[in-house]
Amino acid sequence: MFRKVIALLLCVLMLFSLGACDKGTDAPANDKPSTGALFKPGTYEGTAEGFNGNITVAVTVSENKVESIEFKEHKESIGVSDPAFNTLPDRIIEKQTVAIDTISGCTVSSKGILEAVKAALLAAGATEADITKAPAPDEERTQQALNYEADVVIIGAGGAGMSAAYEALQAGGTVVILEKTGSIGGNTIAAGSAMNAADPERQKNMTMNDSEMEKIQELLELEPVDDYMSAWQKSVKSDLDAYIASGSTYLYDSPDLHKLQTYVGGDYVGNPVLIDKYAEGAAESVKLLEELGTVWKDDLTAAIGATWNRSHMPTGDVWGPKGASFVLPQAAKVEEMGGEVKLNHKVEHIISEEGKVVGVKGVTSDGDTFEARAKKGVIIATGGFGANVEMRQKYNEFWPNLDESVKTTNVSSATGDGITMALEADANLVGMEWIQMLTNADKQDFSAAINNIVYVNAEGKRYVKEDGRRDEIASATLDQTGSYCYWITDTQEADERLGGVTYAGFVINDLIDGKLMYKADTIEELAEQLNIDPATLQATLDKYNAAVDKGVDEEFGRKVFGNKIEKGPYYANYVTPKVHHTMGGIEINEKAQVINSSGQVIEGLYAAGEVAGGIHGANRLGGNAISDIVTFGRIAGTEVMK
């Protein structure tokens, strides 16, 4: 099963070869079946709209039976939609009807699959009544009590869980990973493709402008709030003095600068001990993924809210688009090394005995109960709670409203389960009130990098520095007319740098055809599509381009620049603020051990990834989450085996 799941996840924009049509079927598709038959035998195509575009299926039928269903093409998100693609074809064939329940967590994709199959069956001559009949009830089955045992039990098969599993296996342990959904990847696989780490080798090929130098100087002039910050400032100042003395012009970076920006960017709320550990390990995490097969683009960029050009972007050539390169390399290695993954296993409780965590228990999607015993320890890697409206409303203290009317970028399974079960084990929580909003498109952004993008409001004017903090950008966007904005870029980003394909692997022109993006040969034409005054938009871009030339943004203080927006065709995305990341969570120490309400380590319990709080403070820098997930996942997997 695990091998099958990985193989399916690697199919980014699936294009399966179709089975040959029945050689005896040469009549048009609208011919009626023979008397007493449901279908005219053959293979028929059907297409319906999914979440990201059309889903096309090829359905083979005999006179009275659906024989097989294959996917010819679709653009659904890998990982997120896989439970629907893995489950629904078998259910349709088993029940011989499309009146099948959708799969929780991928409802839109499920509906698209069912409607596409329905269209194919109608083309085969069936009546709607024949193929939408209520399915026969499932046969009653005896519920089972399942038992597992391993050195390490990991809850969650996303980036943190797989990184922890890899390290535990490397250390000679046995591992069982329990995942509540029907596929691996979690929120990681749906993430934007940016992973932050200081990387002097790659940054040597970049030039530092005056604004970036000012940015560092501003950090060095801040009054340190503790010894950690003071030490980081002294380290960066020493580096910078040597840099200036040598006459260097490349983009300076170091782990200590990364720590300093993370701490200050989080309003000093983050735990400096964790930040120190995080940034020291980030570069090694990048190298590990590279060793496991991730291929990085040559140039580093600044992810939205990253504040510095240290975001590593995978090419997507090997593992697929978006966050696949941050979880599938580890997953493939975990499988190779004998790690067990149990899908559709929802952990509900942590088992403690004599003050030590020794396992977990829960229930499968089939209703079977299970218990998993851990000889060494349990690692919680279940992600955040961005998709849990009740929980985010409970803890929110900053945003005007985070109810169901506010969308989230998270997968639907990001519901804070790990936090709830950790509380039962007396874990302490930190920073739960800090919930991040990200301003992005409803369906597909063309880029995760900010370098070559300008934000304009409904009036066609800039209103914020695009390289600022995510909370600042989201707050400013909410204050604009309609609480939305447009991202504006040109062919240098969309066609030349991205090659006409979004960071998520979608063909930009296809998204434009689907009305998910805008494209025009001139600024005037683009403005008309956006219902913006052309003269206003042109003046905005002219002023921005002048700032790029000078390397100084006098209007808003932007410091990270790329190209001028001056070469058609021009592109735009409609974007709004959405719940994106929950900075708070389970309190951990630098060994990823969970801390209880009395400030003591809970023996045998670890946490890593977004479920853990205390690293990002009041605001997470864009691109920091992935390096956090991988780094602290690795720390948890290493420490649990000691």
Side-chain angles (χ1 to χ4, degrees):
M1 170 60 79
F2 189 25
R3 184 179 299 277
K4 178 183 176 184
V5 170
I6 293 181
L8 286 169
L9 287 172
L10 292 178
C11 298
V12 183
L13 300 178
M14 294 184 184
L15 184 59
F16 294 95
S17 59
L18 295 177
C21 293
D22 187 327
K23 298 300 183 182
T25 305
D26 52 12
N30 59 3
D31 275 8
K32 294 183 179 299
S34 60
T35 303
L38 294 177
F39 312 112
K40 185 171 181 63
T43 299
Y44 300 84
E45 285 190 14
T47 298
E49 186 176 358
F51 188 80
N52 291 324
N54 286 338
I55 298 171
T56 299
V57 299
V59 182
T60 299
V61 296
S62 56
E63 284 194 342
N64 290 294
K65 186 178 180 182
V66 180
E67 299 287 353
S68 68
I69 300 169
E70 297 183 15
F71 294 100
K72 182 180 180 183
E73 184 177 8
H74 77 82
K75 300 176 181 177
E76 303 305 270
S77 300
I78 58 174
V80 179
S81 63
D82 287 335
F85 284 90
N86 295 345
T87 303
L88 289 179
D90 290 341
R91 291 287 288 170
I92 293 169
I93 293 169
E94 176 192 357
K95 299 297 183 181
Q96 293 295 305
T97 177
V98 295
I100 302 295
D101 289 339
T102 57
I103 305 300
S104 177
C106 41
T107 303
V108 177
S109 296
S110 297
K111 289 179 178 178
I113 293 169
L114 294 172
E115 287 299 317
V117 173
K118 179 180 176 181
L121 296 179
L122 291 174
T127 67
E128 183 157 347
D130 287 333
I131 59 175
T132 59
K133 60 187 178 182
D138 292 332
E139 292 183 11
E140 290 189 14
R141 60 184 294 273
T142 302
Q143 301 300 316
Q144 303 179 62
L146 307 173
N147 292 284
Y148 310 108
E149 184 176 77
D151 290 324
V152 184
V153 172
I154 299 173
I155 314 170
M162 285 300 177
S163 296
Y166 169 77
E167 292 295 347
L169 289 164
Q170 283 284 95
T174 56
V175 170
V176 61
I177 304 171
L178 303 168
E179 168 58 44
K180 73 174 181 178
T181 72
S183 64
I184 63 173
N187 219 25
T188 309
I189 209 164
S193 54
M195 180 176 183
N196 285 352
D199 191 340
E201 184 177 341
R202 287 183 171 91
Q203 289 163 321
K204 289 280 187 182
N205 299 319
M206 306 173 72
T207 301
M208 186 157 69
N209 61 41
D210 291 343
S211 291
E212 288 166 330
M213 179 64 80
E214 287 177 16
K215 200 167 192 173
I216 297 178
Q217 296 290 1
E218 289 170 1
L219 287 169
L220 297 181
E221 291 170 5
L222 293 172
E223 186 69 28
V225 299
D226 53 39
D227 291 342
Y228 277 92
M229 182 175 173
S230 177
W232 300 335
Q233 286 175 312
K234 289 176 182 177
S235 170
V236 172
K237 185 178 186 309
S238 175
D239 285 350
L240 209 60
D241 287 344
Y243 171 94
I244 294 170
S246 69
S248 298
T249 59
Y250 63 85
L251 181 67
Y252 166 76
D253 201 2
S254 71
D256 284 341
L257 179 59
H258 191 182
K259 298 168 193 175
L260 194 55
Q261 290 175 322
T262 298
Y263 197 31
V264 175
D267 294 333
Y268 313 103
V269 174
N271 182 340
V273 177
L274 300 183
I275 292 171
D276 196 72
K277 193 78 170 180
Y278 153 68
E280 284 297 331
E284 286 301 317
S285 294
V286 168
K287 290 179 182 177
L288 172 65
L289 291 183
E290 192 166 23
E291 290 170 1
L292 295 180
T294 297
V295 180
W296 302 110
K297 292 181 179 179
D298 292 334
D299 61 321
L300 300 185
T301 60
I304 299 166
T307 76
W308 203 253
N309 282 306
R310 63 167 67 96
S311 301
H312 296 69
M313 304 283 187
T315 63
D317 294 341
V318 179
W319 301 104
K322 295 190 79 172
S325 291
F326 306 134
V327 60
L328 294 189
Q330 305 97 298
K333 196 67 176 176
V334 166
E335 178 193 20
E336 179 186 314
M337 298 168 71
E340 286 189 79
V341 177
K342 303 296 181 182
L343 302 177
N344 298 307
H345 278 57
K346 182 180 180 181
V347 177
E348 296 179 325
H349 304 287
I350 292 169
I351 303 171
S352 298
E353 294 177 356
E354 298 179 357
K356 179 180 179 180
V357 169
V358 296
V360 301
K361 58 184 177 179
V363 63
T364 72
S365 58
D366 289 330
D368 296 330
T369 59
F370 67 85
E371 186 172 298
R373 287 274 168 165
K375 298 176 185 177
K376 295 281 189 179
V378 171
I379 300 174
I380 304 175
T382 53
F385 58 94
N388 186 328
V389 174
E390 183 180 352
M391 187 175 282
R392 69 195 198 197
Q393 282 283 77
K394 174 182 177 180
Y395 290 107
N396 173 44
E397 295 180 6
F398 181 77
W399 301 103
N401 173 46
L402 291 182
D403 67 14
E404 63 277 356
S405 68
V406 181
K407 296 179 181 180
T408 178
T409 63
N410 291 188
V411 295
S412 60
S413 58
T415 51
D417 301 6
I419 292 171
T420 300
M421 64 183 77
L423 278 173
E424 290 183 358
D426 193 35
N428 192 48
L429 303 184
V430 292
M432 292 292 287
E433 69 273 25
W434 301 114
I435 299 171
Q436 185 171 79
M437 297 275 275
L438 175 67
T439 305
N440 79 336
D442 281 351
K443 288 201 173 181
Q444 293 299 332
D445 304 325
F446 41 69
S447 179
I450 198 62
N451 304 62
N452 302 312
I453 294 174
V454 173
Y455 288 15
V456 302
N457 59 19
E459 291 74 42
K461 299 178 180 180
R462 287 180 70 214
Y463 62 93
V464 70
K465 61 178 181 180
E466 295 84 352
D467 63 342
R469 291 167 38 148
R470 289 181 171 182
D471 54 351
E472 294 171 348
I473 293 171
S475 182
T477 304
L478 289 172
D479 289 340
Q480 303 306 302
T481 301
S483 296
Y484 70 87
C485 71
Y486 292 105
W487 290 357
I488 308 293
T489 192
D490 67 6
T491 191
Q492 296 173 93
E493 173 72 3
D495 300 308
E496 295 174 13
R497 194 182 82 81
L498 294 174
V501 179
T502 72
Y503 76 98
F506 294 94
V507 177
I508 291 175
N509 282 334
D510 287 349
L511 296 175
I512 291 164
D513 292 342
K515 308 300 182 185
L516 299 178
M517 290 184 186
Y518 301 88
K519 177 181 180 180
D521 290 331
T522 66
I523 292 298
E524 181 179 5
E525 292 171 355
L526 186 67
E528 290 172 355
Q529 291 184 39
L530 306 180
N531 294 317
I532 291 174
D533 175 55
T536 300
L537 182 57
Q538 186 64 65
T540 295
L541 294 178
D542 288 345
K543 192 170 184 179
Y544 171 78
N545 289 340
V548 175
D549 280 334
K550 292 173 62 178
V552 177
D553 177 17
E554 296 176 350
E555 189 172 14
F556 294 102
R558 173 171 174 162
K559 299 185 187 303
V560 175
F561 297 102
N563 303 314
K564 293 190 289 186
I565 311 298
E566 62 177 356
K567 185 178 178 182
Y570 299 91
Y571 297 84
N573 250 149
Y574 171 89
V575 297
T576 57
K578 302 171 185 66
V579 173
H580 183 62
H581 190 93
T582 49
M583 278 79 74
I586 302 166
E587 184 178 4
I588 60 172
N589 63 17
E590 71 277 12
K591 296 180 180 180
Q593 294 171 300
V594 174
I595 306 301
N596 68 15
S597 58
S598 300
Q600 303 300 310
V601 167
I602 299 177
E603 188 179 355
L605 188 60
Y606 300 75
E610 193 174 347
V611 74
I615 298 172
H616 306 291
N619 171 69
R620 177 179 66 84
L621 300 187
N624 269 10
I626 298 299
S627 38
D628 162 26
I629 285 167
V630 178
T631 300
F632 270 94
R634 295 178 65 206
I635 290 170
T638 300
E639 292 294 334
V640 72
M641 288 300 298
K642 290 183 176 179

